[in-house]
Amino acid sequence: MDIILLDEHDDHIHATIPIYLASDFEYLTEGKVYNISNFKVERKKLHKVVSHDYMIHLTGDTSIQENMSSVQIQNHKFEIVQFEELTKRQDRFIQSSDVLGRLVRIGELVDQEVKGKQKTVKKFVLRIQMNRYIYFLVEVNFYKK
């Protein structure tokens, strides 16, 4: 399970909880403030969900206590970037990007061989219109673990 944590300084970080521990943390509630201790930290270079260079892994040893103080933390954070920045990210797998546009076309679901591996994946291409002149082609792949 993946979550984004925000702090009182308007910083945010990607956190993950292993699926076998998800039920141990289901009491976490959006909008509440918690003190978190005993977790693992990893430097994240590729496939980042947010721009932070690190991510947190909650473990069976992680302790979470609700903070009853009056600390004010935003409920949302957006990383808005210029279109030129999005084009630099294409095919680089550095950071995921959400885009706002109009879905114009969904391509057919096809099989594609994975280079250098003995397996195939299912994929399709989305065409998203950003404005009158600019379109994004987004390839969506389905991998089996």
Side-chain angles (χ1 to χ4, degrees):
M1 180 166 65
D2 294 286
I3 56 178
I4 305 297
L5 303 173
L6 288 93
D7 69 12
E8 67 272 20
H9 304 292
D10 201 32
D11 291 324
H12 60 311
I13 191 166
H14 177 202
T16 186
I17 302 168
I19 194 68
Y20 64 89
L21 292 176
S23 62
D24 294 348
F25 296 101
E26 60 187 19
Y27 61 88
L28 294 175
T29 305
E30 182 178 356
K32 290 192 177 184
V33 178
Y34 298 95
N35 295 326
I36 305 173
S37 59
N38 299 327
F39 50 85
K40 293 182 180 179
V41 177
E42 169 191 6
R43 185 170 181 89
K44 190 80 169 157
K45 293 183 179 180
L46 298 175
H47 302 287
K48 295 191 315 186
V49 176
V50 297
S51 60
H52 202 290
D53 288 334
Y54 293 88
M55 72 177 294
I56 292 173
H57 297 277
L58 303 185
T59 69
D61 295 327
T62 299
S63 174
I64 300 179
Q65 300 296 320
E66 187 172 350
N67 184 325
M68 302 306 263
S69 70
S70 60
V71 174
Q72 294 297 312
I73 297 178
Q74 298 293 323
N75 283 340
H76 307 284
K77 176 159 179 142
F78 299 97
E79 293 185 358
I80 299 173
V81 298
Q82 296 295 320
F83 179 75
E84 293 76 27
E85 177 64 25
L86 288 177
T87 58
K88 290 178 193 173
R89 292 180 183 179
Q90 185 172 347
D91 298 326
R92 294 193 57 221
F93 307 107
I94 294 172
Q95 182 176 345
S96 299
S97 303
D98 293 327
V99 296
L100 183 61
R102 189 179 95 197
L103 181 60
V104 177
R105 181 173 183 268
I106 301 175
E108 290 185 38
L109 187 63
V110 296
D111 289 327
Q112 176 179 325
E113 289 186 27
V114 178
K115 292 180 184 176
K117 304 215 177 187
Q118 298 285 66
K119 68 178 187 177
T120 60
V121 296
K122 298 280 190 189
K123 80 165 199 175
F124 63 89
V125 175
L126 301 176
R127 183 178 174 127
I128 300 172
Q129 184 176 9
M130 304 302 291
N131 64 31
R132 187 173 177 181
Y133 305 105
I134 299 173
Y135 291 84
F136 261 113
L137 295 178
V138 179
E139 187 174 293
V140 179
N141 296 303
F142 298 92
Y143 293 94
K144 281 188 177 180
K145 289 192 174 195

